Amino acid sequence: MVNTVEATAVNTIRTLAADVVHGANSGHPGAPMGCAPMAQTLFSKFIKVNPKNPHWANRDRFVLSNGHACALQYIMLHLLGFDVTMDDLKKFRAIDSKTPGHPERGWTEGIEVTTGPLGQGVSNAVGLALAQAQLGATFNKPGFEIFNNDTYVILGDGCLQEGVAAEAVSLAGHWKLGKLIALYDDNKITIDGDTAVSFTEDVQKRFESYGWQVLVVADGDNDFEAIAKAVEQAKAETEKPTLIKIRTTIGYGSQHQGEEKVHGSPLSADDIKNVKQKFGFNPDEKYVVPQQVYDFWAKRAEENAKVEAEWNELVAKYQKEFPTEAAELKRRLAGKLPEGWEKALPRFTPSDPAVATRKLSETVLTALSDVVPELIGGSADLTGSNLTRWKKAVDFQHPSTGLGQYDGRYVRYGVREHAMFAIMNGIAAYQGLIPFGGTFLNFLTYGWGATRLSAVSHLRVIYVMTHDSIGLGEDGPTHQPIETLALVRATPNIYTMRPADGNETSGCYLVALENDHRPSVIALSRQNLPQLEGSNIEAVRKGGYVLHAEQKPDVVLAATGSEVAIAVDAAKLLEKEGLKVQTVSMPITDLFDEQSHEYKLSVFPQNTPVVSVEALTVFGWQQYSHAQVGMTTFGASGPIKDVYAKFKITPENTANVAKDLIQHFKKIGQVPELPCQRQ
Amino acid sequence: MVNTVEATAVNTIRTLAADVVHGANSGHPGAPMGCAPMAQTLFSKFIKVNPKNPHWANRDRFVLSNGHACALQYIMLHLLGFDVTMDDLKKFRAIDSKTPGHPERGWTEGIEVTTGPLGQGVSNAVGLALAQAQLGATFNKPGFEIFNNDTYVILGDGCLQEGVAAEAVSLAGHWKLGKLIALYDDNKITIDGDTAVSFTEDVQKRFESYGWQVLVVADGDNDFEAIAKAVEQAKAETEKPTLIKIRTTIGYGSQHQGEEKVHGSPLSADDIKNVKQKFGFNPDEKYVVPQQVYDFWAKRAEENAKVEAEWNELVAKYQKEFPTEAAELKRRLAGKLPEGWEKALPRFTPSDPAVATRKLSETVLTALSDVVPELIGGSADLTGSNLTRWKKAVDFQHPSTGLGQYDGRYVRYGVREHAMFAIMNGIAAYQGLIPFGGTFLNFLTYGWGATRLSAVSHLRVIYVMTHDSIGLGEDGPTHQPIETLALVRATPNIYTMRPADGNETSGCYLVALENDHRPSVIALSRQNLPQLEGSNIEAVRKGGYVLHAEQKPDVVLAATGSEVAIAVDAAKLLEKEGLKVQTVSMPITDLFDEQSHEYKLSVFPQNTPVVSVEALTVFGWQQYSHAQVGMTTFGASGPIKDVYAKFKITPENTANVAKDLIQHFKKIGQVPELPCQRQ
Ligand SMILES: [Ca+2]
Ligand SMILES: [Ca+2]
């Protein structure tokens, strides 16, 4: 091998990766060593990022979809000059270090999206590329390419096997996202050994079937030029995303190169010495970056800084020629919502007609569509049911289709829930757009792999989940969520919302948009619901609130969404029997948990029996209530009234449960302290 | 159109579908009307089933993957002579009827698998075909084709867009499942309108890339012969699954045929009249099956009965020639476990070394591999981590690969969790095999769409979920489950298992295998755990039990899995301070819920503070404990000890929480009744 700087730089990555993983005594050396040439090529010749300003808006995006190879990414960030020191590399996988076991957005500078769960990164990248296309179409003007960055992905066999990726890359082909370039680390190895055991499809043909350009690099270990040429070719193709299939050797340089062994465990100390010797490094030195390599990257950093400086000049000129657009651009990039946007939220009074909350959600989205232009929404092929599309919406489609435009803000995801969620994560991560997406609540768990990452990585993604209970009726148990809200509530850093009427629907959107650091799941009814006495938008900010107050009530009835009206009717029944009933609506339980002890006791007074009503699992309600009206089995197919009657989610049964509870506590001589009442 | 019986039969399906959906005032007429010719062709010419014995072992399997078209399936069952009467058809989508909104296995005779959630059915079908191949290779002898049935699927655009299906069909191609035949209802319509809006990939090319044969029928509305010919050709290809792409018109016959309108709502009364007129039916009559059509199907039923009779004769001969195999066959088909199998479960004493429960699971699986030969397991490319493979296992692979055999019992699923779960559902539904499959617990939610259907449809599927908490350490929050067990516990009809040591691991498998009508999720540790004093296999049958009993304890410490040892150590700390501590292990909380009130109070005595310890979300534990040691945030990357310390899941913190709790209840003058203590 010619000892050019480039070769030395590649071998620096390889030896450093071996050291970093060995230092942690845990991790994945094989992929970083195999992918070193493609990473070197991408970051030295193509990817424009500025380590001094990691959030520069038009930077190229890089996603390591095989996130377990993150030693590679940390090393590249270090070399590029991001805030990842050699010391940080030495703390790889140590607690609270900047270099955790998988890349975490928001934790380590320069990480665009959190990866590791396979298939997510490449799907996020589709969202990043969509966001570039959408913002480019929205803001660019002739001579002013404000948004024209590329999105690069490295991915492995694992990502290609995951269904979420299959869904997302099919959409990328449909959308003709020409600025999306994926480098496939084709090393013929997975954890179970040779890919021959389970992955024998023709990947090239498959990607061509999706409308991708596919290029092949035969020797990704040594032929750096071929890699660069392929990337050039990918950039030249502007109407198709490109997959570059690069044949590599996992753990290249190790005595066990090409074997599964080097995938998920450190190389032995001896093997590392061998690697270093092979690549002309001192076998007795660790964590070495030759000065010429540092110099090489310092030069690249200068070039990069210049590129951003030029872009800043361009934006300055843009500001003069297009002051309105420039002001909007500035606002978007600052992540600020338009002044007074919340005034557009519709308000209701009890005399307004009964409407399904999914329909009320449509009203909110319609009202916000002009006021909050960064909203970009869609549905997984349930537009007419989720009611996610405002009337004037333009579809996000390649202009050649005649079905929409790239500056369209309505996204047709097809029947691809998991990809929709992962793409929304990518859109949110890009900055400048707020994604929302709809499906039936029951199908939230088709894509939970992505939803959990919305929460882990603090992304403002809005899940518009309609048909949110057995109230969907005839479609039956396969479509009726039972366990779903318990899942969301059990998950940190995500709001679980279930509005009861129009004001609460507005309130839920208020909270979802205000919270720019977490996702929200809004559960919405299929069936019509009355506008409630006592409901209001701002009260939703407390998560739970008193709808009808009583001094020293005999019992509290707490409910969410479509069951609040049932609780209100149950209260009437109980009042007829002389009981004082306080009714409580709990649209966002997790937000209620954040309130003061005093406030919580005002909603759930001590020594007062509480019954909750929710037409989903009762699991978890024991925090707030002593007895639960809800589901303990799967649902059933039938007209909504019959289904509610079958499972006794009715005012009559609620009233009976309340009376029994009051009696029981009289008998045992205590009203037990509720978990939510403890300080 | 020539008015042959066949044409009349097809039009009977179409008019009846329109009536059935109209009668329910809810449902999907379009697909049944468009798919009538393929259904007619399949059931009249190919599919061998016996309505008089719906569980005949070698019947052809039929899966309606687009389950929303189930009016079609119910009509076919009715015509075939299954226990679905015209009256049942009239009760389509009515509560508790035999004809719910989506087909439900175990509820309606003749339904093989529960479908509706898109992508599941075709993936189940891959499992059904795998089961046939595996049992065929196991039991067939020259001249004795005991298992040689075909598996037929009808699917639509929706199923093809779902990632789970992409994963599953890739595996079907890899496994060369030649007896799997899928008919694709290519009607160019999805709910959002023309497939052009989101589904423009080249399906034919994609399936060819997976190693499928793809055939095309240009006119699926009228060219019945072409459909039959294609199915013949599919049957002739024995080394590849076949996709037959059949161009159809959704709602064929309606005034709105070919439009999205006819997908999900009944046709108007006028339009139904028009349909009937068009097809030569009396527009004023409803629910009509011409006698000649009934006669036609009666004849088919006779032929079908003969086919089963011949098979029974074959089995009788087989019994004479191969009595051992025949006895085994009989046992398997009866769904009985081998006499005394449970004696093979390993037992441990506290002097045995500390071992990770994933490793103990491997020991159980190894011990059972010979004793329970219907166990067929695998992993989603984490074999070495999940430890799901016993040493002598043979891989399930097509013999031509040289990597295994069709009678192999270890399945290499690749990185395809969702397909693995859906395929396991298909395997379990076939009868004669018990599937288990492994991945990290965190990735259970990559495939929850299928897991929920294991529960809905009462299938004995065993989920071997390792690395079950923050205890997986360095891989960090993207891989550490937090919310996952709450999800499983909130789901009806599934057992959530988290064994603490060797005896409990054996006990969990005991319960999982004994329960033939529900799935089980076994959560297993990455880290080593001591063999506990007081643990035992049979106690697991109670779900929760006292590990160390005390008379009138000051406090109860309850825990699961890896945290039981932490609770035991916390008890020692408290005992040093003079407190009496009862320790409780809760390996299967849902099973504990089924115990008697008296038993529950023996575990959790009244008026006694309870602290629970589990290194996952505390959400839901309020049923059993007054205070919880556990997770309320996502985890962190680091060595296990550091991670547990960071989140205070330690004996010291547990002891402190217990002491604070005791103080608090003294202060408020009550120990609140726990939900699990109420009768
Ligand atoms: Ca690989
Ligand atoms: Ca269709």
Side-chain angles (χ1 to χ4, degrees):
Chain A
M1 184 187 295
V2 192
N3 189 14
T4 62
V5 179
E6 196 175 16
T8 308
V10 167
N11 292 331
T12 299
I13 300 169
R14 287 171 171 150
T15 52
L16 203 45
D19 281 341
V20 163
V21 174
H22 195 263
N25 195 23
S26 160
H28 304 75
M33 294 173 77
C35 294
M38 56 183 102
Q40 172 71 26
T41 304
L42 284 182
F43 281 101
S44 68
K45 294 198 169 68
F46 297 99
I47 294 179
K48 289 172 208 128
V49 285
N50 185 2
K52 300 298 160 238
N53 180 13
H55 298 289
W56 169 40
N58 194 38
R59 69 192 180 278
D60 288 327
R61 283 4 184 229
F62 171 76
V63 174
L64 187 76
S65 195
N66 50 345
H68 56 268
C70 58
L72 176 70
Q73 197 167 9
Y74 298 139
I75 289 168
M76 296 317 296
L77 290 174
H78 171 67
L79 294 173
L80 283 159
F82 281 84
D83 185 19
V84 175
T85 65
M86 187 59 89
D87 221 53
D88 294 325
L89 293 180
K90 288 179 183 168
K91 286 187 198 142
F92 183 51
R93 295 189 150 221
I95 196 110
D96 294 332
S97 78
K98 267 186 206 157
T99 50
H102 289 88
E104 295 179 30
R105 172 193 160 78
W107 181 258
T108 310
E109 210 173 68
I111 302 294
E112 302 287 356
V113 289
T114 299
T115 59
L118 294 171
Q120 298 294 335
V122 59
S123 308
N124 298 161
V126 175
L128 288 166
L130 182 153
Q132 180 279 320
Q134 206 282 341
L135 289 169
T138 303
F139 286 100
N140 293 354
K141 304 281 177 186
F144 291 91
E145 293 273 296
I146 306 297
F147 293 101
N148 69 353
N149 71 276
D150 292 316
T151 300
Y152 295 94
V153 190
I154 291 179
L155 52 78
D157 297 293
C159 287
L160 291 178
Q161 292 172 71
E162 289 286 4
V164 59
E167 294 176 7
V169 298
S170 178
L171 281 169
H174 170 73
W175 290 326
K176 302 181 190 292
L177 296 174
K179 289 179 161 297
L180 175 61
I181 300 171
L183 285 69
Y184 163 30
D185 175 27
D186 178 21
N187 61 19
K188 305 271 181 233
I189 288 293
T190 66
I191 294 179
D192 270 17
D194 195 294
T195 50
V197 305
S198 67
F199 187 50
T200 49
E201 62 184 45
D202 182 338
V203 171
Q204 176 163 355
K205 192 169 180 175
R206 178 157 73 94
F207 272 70
E208 285 169 357
S209 82
Y210 295 133
W212 284 54
Q213 169 179 235
V214 183
L215 307 172
V216 178
V217 173
D219 175 8
D221 298 323
N222 298 294
D223 195 349
F224 310 156
E225 208 170 308
I227 299 173
K229 235 167 116 180
V231 178
E232 289 289 3
Q233 212 175 325
K235 280 174 71 79
E237 168 60 73
T238 59
E239 301 263 298
K240 287 180 177 183
T242 297
L243 182 78
I244 309 176
K245 193 166 174 276
I246 305 180
R247 187 73 179 88
T248 68
T249 306
I250 191 169
Y252 185 77
S254 152
Q255 283 154 342
H256 295 286
Q257 68 175 35
E259 298 174 31
E260 190 281 316
K261 273 186 199 176
V262 298
H263 167 79
S265 320
L267 306 189
S268 69
D270 272 0
D271 194 6
I272 293 180
K273 285 190 180 183
N274 145 70
V275 169
K276 288 178 184 168
Q277 224 139 18
K278 193 162 174 178
F279 291 139
F281 282 62
N282 182 340
D284 296 322
E285 285 180 7
K286 284 186 183 180
Y287 300 104
V288 170
V289 178
Q291 191 55 44
Q292 58 170 332
V293 173
Y294 272 136
D295 292 346
F296 174 91
W297 287 108
K299 215 178 125 218
R300 178 71 184 162
E302 274 173 40
E303 291 164 14
N304 269 333
K306 246 180 249 168
V307 173
E308 191 197 340
E310 282 163 22
W311 186 84
N312 287 333
E313 276 172 41
L314 187 77
V315 171
K317 276 186 211 160
Y318 182 83
Q319 200 153 2
K320 280 178 197 161
E321 286 210 39
F322 309 101
T324 316
E325 289 87 342
E328 174 68 5
L329 175 69
K330 199 176 161 189
R331 180 185 73 74
R332 295 256 206 122
L333 295 182
K336 281 187 187 153
L337 289 166
E339 199 69 41
W341 72 275
E342 68 280 1
K343 289 181 196 123
L345 290 167
R347 285 171 192 271
F348 300 83
T349 66
S351 60
D352 288 320
V355 184
T357 48
R358 64 179 168 137
K359 185 77 186 160
L360 292 160
S361 161
E362 183 189 43
T363 307
V364 172
L365 289 170
T366 303
L368 295 183
S369 61
D370 286 334
V371 179
V372 187
E374 57 264 54
L375 277 172
I376 178 168
S379 162
D381 195 44
L382 285 171
T383 297
S385 300
N386 302 145
L387 302 176
T388 30
R389 193 172 192 275
W390 60 102
K391 265 213 185 85
K392 292 190 302 172
V394 173
D395 282 5
F396 175 85
Q397 297 279 6
H398 191 271
S400 69
T401 59
L403 298 167
Q405 294 291 338
Y406 264 1
D407 67 354
R409 287 161 54 205
Y410 193 75
V411 188
R412 305 282 186 175
Y413 287 102
V415 192
R416 303 183 183 95
E417 299 80 9
H418 201 170
M420 176 168 72
F421 302 164
I423 290 170
M424 289 200 291
N425 284 342
I427 295 172
Y430 189 92
Q431 185 87 340
L433 292 169
I434 302 174
F436 66 89
T439 183
F440 288 171
L441 177 60
N442 188 52
F443 298 115
L444 179 61
T445 46
Y446 256 53
W448 187 257
T451 307
R452 140 177 253 280
L453 287 174
S454 307
V456 168
S457 47
H458 300 270
L459 293 168
R460 178 170 48 186
V461 171
I462 303 173
Y463 292 82
V464 181
M465 302 286 108
T466 71
H467 297 63
D468 71 345
S469 74
I470 55 167
L472 72 70
E474 290 87 350
D475 272 351
T478 56
H479 286 56
Q480 292 165 350
I482 300 297
E483 72 284 13
T484 321
L485 287 194
L487 169 66
V488 189
R489 290 180 180 135
T491 305
N493 200 35
I494 184 169
Y495 281 144
T496 318
M497 305 182 167
R498 196 160 182 259
D501 69 357
N503 289 330
E504 287 195 6
T505 304
S506 288
C508 286
Y509 275 98
L510 175 71
V511 174
L513 281 163
E514 278 177 345
N515 275 273
D516 61 1
H517 60 299
R518 67 169 93 208
S520 299
V521 170
I522 313 182
L524 299 159
S525 76
R526 178 189 182 207
Q527 69 268 36
N528 287 345
L529 306 177
Q531 308 302 332
L532 297 165
E533 186 78 48
S535 85
N536 88 67
I537 295 183
E538 287 71 22
V540 174
R541 283 203 181 112
K542 296 279 191 192
Y545 65 101
V546 176
L547 212 55
H548 172 79
E550 286 283 351
Q551 285 296 319
K552 302 212 174 200
D554 295 302
V555 65
V556 173
L557 301 184
T560 76
S562 43
E563 285 68 69
V564 177
I566 291 176
V568 168
D569 288 346
K572 284 178 200 154
L573 296 175
L574 291 167
E575 280 156 11
K576 271 188 203 155
E577 303 193 28
L579 292 167
K580 292 202 293 178
V581 184
Q582 176 152 309
T583 51
V584 167
S585 182
M586 294 278 280
I588 315 178
T589 52
D590 351 51
L591 185 49
F592 178 77
D593 295 343
E594 297 171 19
Q595 304 309 313
S596 70
H597 184 236
E598 200 187 350
Y599 180 77
K600 287 182 191 170
L601 292 186
S602 76
V603 175
F604 297 113
Q606 282 165 319
N607 296 308
T608 313
V610 182
V611 177
S612 60
V613 197
E614 187 175 66
L616 291 111
T617 181
V618 300
F619 188 89
W621 271 101
Q622 295 80 6
Q623 292 171 78
Y624 315 104
S625 65
H626 298 98
Q628 294 81 32
V629 174
M631 299 294 293
T632 55
T633 67
F634 288 111
S637 167
I640 174 168
K641 272 202 175 170
D642 298 345
V643 179
Y644 270 80
K646 180 180 171 80
F647 297 107
K648 297 193 176 170
I649 302 178
T650 58
E652 295 71 24
N653 185 49
T654 303
N656 287 336
V657 168
K659 285 185 283 180
D660 288 350
L661 187 71
I662 293 168
Q663 284 311 311
H664 173 72
F665 289 152
K666 275 196 184 137
K667 202 178 106 194
I668 68 168
Q670 68 162 214
V671 178
E673 182 194 54
L674 286 164
C676 71
Q677 292 167 332
R678 206 169 310 149
Q679 201 151 18
Chain B
M1 186 188 295
V2 192
N3 189 15
T4 61
V5 179
E6 197 176 15
T8 309
V10 167
N11 293 331
T12 301
I13 299 169
R14 286 171 172 151
T15 53
L16 203 45
D19 281 341
V20 163
V21 174
H22 195 262
N25 195 22
S26 159
H28 303 75
M33 293 173 77
C35 294
M38 56 182 105
Q40 172 72 25
T41 303
L42 284 181
F43 282 100
S44 68
K45 295 196 168 69
F46 297 99
I47 294 178
K48 291 172 206 129
V49 285
N50 186 0
K52 302 295 159 244
N53 180 12
H55 298 288
W56 168 41
N58 194 39
R59 68 191 180 280
D60 289 326
R61 287 353 186 236
F62 172 75
V63 174
L64 187 75
S65 196
N66 50 346
H68 55 268
C70 59
L72 175 71
Q73 196 167 10
Y74 298 138
I75 289 167
M76 297 317 298
L77 291 174
H78 171 68
L79 295 172
L80 283 159
F82 282 84
D83 184 19
V84 175
T85 64
M86 187 59 90
D87 223 51
D88 295 324
L89 292 180
K90 288 178 183 167
K91 287 187 199 141
F92 183 51
R93 296 191 148 217
I95 197 109
D96 294 333
S97 77
K98 268 186 207 158
T99 48
H102 289 88
E104 295 178 29
R105 172 193 160 79
W107 181 257
T108 312
E109 212 175 66
I111 301 294
E112 302 286 357
V113 288
T114 298
T115 58
L118 294 171
Q120 298 295 332
V122 58
S123 308
N124 298 160
V126 174
L128 288 165
L130 182 154
Q132 179 281 320
Q134 207 282 341
L135 289 168
T138 303
F139 286 100
N140 293 355
K141 304 278 179 189
F144 291 91
E145 294 272 297
I146 306 296
F147 293 101
N148 68 355
N149 70 275
D150 292 315
T151 300
Y152 295 94
V153 190
I154 291 180
L155 52 80
D157 297 291
C159 288
L160 292 179
Q161 290 173 74
E162 289 286 4
V164 58
E167 294 175 8
V169 299
S170 178
L171 281 168
H174 170 73
W175 290 326
K176 301 179 190 293
L177 296 173
K179 289 180 161 296
L180 174 61
I181 299 171
L183 285 69
Y184 164 31
D185 175 26
D186 178 20
N187 61 17
K188 305 270 182 235
I189 289 289
T190 65
I191 294 179
D192 269 18
D194 194 293
T195 49
V197 305
S198 66
F199 187 48
T200 50
E201 63 183 48
D202 182 339
V203 170
Q204 176 162 355
K205 190 168 180 178
R206 178 156 74 96
F207 271 70
E208 285 168 358
S209 83
Y210 297 133
W212 284 55
Q213 170 179 236
V214 182
L215 307 172
V216 178
V217 173
D219 176 9
D221 297 324
N222 299 296
D223 196 347
F224 310 158
E225 208 170 306
I227 298 173
K229 235 168 116 177
V231 178
E232 289 289 3
Q233 212 175 323
K235 281 176 69 82
E237 167 61 71
T238 59
E239 302 264 297
K240 286 179 178 184
T242 296
L243 181 79
I244 309 176
K245 194 166 173 278
I246 306 179
R247 187 72 180 88
T248 69
T249 305
I250 191 168
Y252 187 78
S254 152
Q255 283 153 338
H256 295 286
Q257 69 177 33
E259 298 174 30
E260 190 280 318
K261 274 186 198 176
V262 300
H263 166 80
S265 318
L267 306 189
S268 69
D270 273 0
D271 195 6
I272 294 180
K273 284 190 180 181
N274 144 69
V275 170
K276 289 178 182 164
Q277 226 140 13
K278 191 161 174 178
F279 292 138
F281 282 63
N282 182 338
D284 297 321
E285 284 181 9
K286 284 186 184 182
Y287 300 104
V288 170
V289 178
Q291 192 54 46
Q292 59 170 330
V293 173
Y294 271 136
D295 292 347
F296 175 91
W297 287 108
K299 215 179 124 218
R300 178 72 185 162
E302 274 173 40
E303 292 164 13
N304 269 332
K306 244 181 249 168
V307 173
E308 189 195 343
E310 283 163 21
W311 186 84
N312 287 332
E313 277 171 40
L314 186 76
V315 171
K317 277 187 208 157
Y318 182 82
Q319 200 152 6
K320 280 178 196 157
E321 286 211 39
F322 309 101
T324 316
E325 288 86 343
E328 174 68 4
L329 174 68
K330 200 175 160 190
R331 178 186 73 74
R332 295 256 206 123
L333 294 181
K336 281 186 189 156
L337 289 166
E339 199 70 43
W341 71 275
E342 69 280 1
K343 288 182 197 121
L345 290 167
R347 283 171 194 272
F348 300 82
T349 65
S351 60
D352 288 320
V355 184
T357 48
R358 64 179 169 138
K359 183 79 187 162
L360 293 159
S361 161
E362 182 189 44
T363 307
V364 172
L365 290 171
T366 302
L368 295 183
S369 61
D370 287 335
V371 180
V372 187
E374 57 265 55
L375 277 172
I376 177 168
S379 163
D381 195 45
L382 285 171
T383 297
S385 300
N386 302 144
L387 302 175
T388 31
R389 193 172 193 272
W390 59 101
K391 266 216 185 81
K392 292 190 301 174
V394 173
D395 282 5
F396 175 86
Q397 297 279 5
H398 191 273
S400 70
T401 59
L403 298 168
Q405 294 291 339
Y406 264 1
D407 67 354
R409 287 162 54 206
Y410 192 75
V411 188
R412 305 281 185 175
Y413 287 100
V415 191
R416 302 184 185 93
E417 299 80 9
H418 201 170
M420 176 168 73
F421 302 162
I423 290 170
M424 290 200 291
N425 283 343
I427 295 172
Y430 190 93
Q431 186 87 337
L433 292 169
I434 302 175
F436 67 90
T439 185
F440 288 170
L441 177 60
N442 188 51
F443 299 114
L444 178 61
T445 45
Y446 256 53
W448 187 256
T451 306
R452 141 175 252 278
L453 288 174
S454 306
V456 168
S457 48
H458 300 269
L459 293 167
R460 178 170 47 187
V461 171
I462 303 174
Y463 292 82
V464 181
M465 301 288 108
T466 70
H467 297 64
D468 71 345
S469 73
I470 54 167
L472 72 68
E474 290 87 350
D475 272 351
T478 56
H479 286 56
Q480 292 165 352
I482 299 295
E483 72 285 13
T484 322
L485 287 194
L487 169 67
V488 189
R489 289 180 181 135
T491 304
N493 199 36
I494 184 167
Y495 281 146
T496 317
M497 306 182 166
R498 195 160 183 259
D501 69 356
N503 288 330
E504 288 195 6
T505 303
S506 288
C508 286
Y509 275 98
L510 176 70
V511 174
L513 281 163
E514 278 177 347
N515 275 274
D516 61 1
H517 61 300
R518 69 170 91 207
S520 299
V521 170
I522 314 182
L524 299 159
S525 75
R526 177 189 182 206
Q527 69 268 35
N528 287 343
L529 306 177
Q531 308 301 333
L532 297 164
E533 187 79 48
S535 87
N536 88 67
I537 294 182
E538 286 72 21
V540 174
R541 283 203 181 111
K542 296 278 189 191
Y545 65 101
V546 175
L547 211 57
H548 172 79
E550 286 283 350
Q551 285 297 317
K552 305 216 171 197
D554 296 302
V555 66
V556 174
L557 300 183
T560 77
S562 42
E563 285 67 70
V564 178
I566 290 175
V568 168
D569 287 345
K572 283 179 200 153
L573 294 176
L574 292 166
E575 280 158 11
K576 271 189 204 156
E577 303 194 28
L579 293 166
K580 291 203 293 178
V581 185
Q582 177 151 309
T583 52
V584 167
S585 182
M586 293 278 279
I588 315 178
T589 51
D590 350 52
L591 185 47
F592 178 77
D593 296 342
E594 297 172 18
Q595 305 308 313
S596 70
H597 185 235
E598 200 187 350
Y599 179 76
K600 286 181 192 172
L601 292 185
S602 75
V603 174
F604 297 112
Q606 282 165 319
N607 296 308
T608 312
V610 182
V611 177
S612 60
V613 197
E614 188 174 66
L616 291 111
T617 182
V618 299
F619 188 89
W621 272 100
Q622 294 79 7
Q623 292 171 78
Y624 314 105
S625 64
H626 298 97
Q628 296 82 33
V629 174
M631 299 294 291
T632 56
T633 65
F634 288 111
S637 167
I640 174 170
K641 272 202 176 169
D642 298 343
V643 179
Y644 270 80
K646 180 181 170 78
F647 296 107
K648 296 191 177 176
I649 302 177
T650 58
E652 294 72 24
N653 184 50
T654 304
N656 286 337
V657 168
K659 285 185 286 181
D660 288 351
L661 188 71
I662 294 168
Q663 282 313 311
H664 172 72
F665 289 152
K666 273 195 187 141
K667 202 177 108 193
I668 67 168
Q670 69 163 214
V671 178
E673 182 194 51
L674 286 163
C676 72
Q677 291 168 332
R678 205 168 312 149
Q679 203 152 15

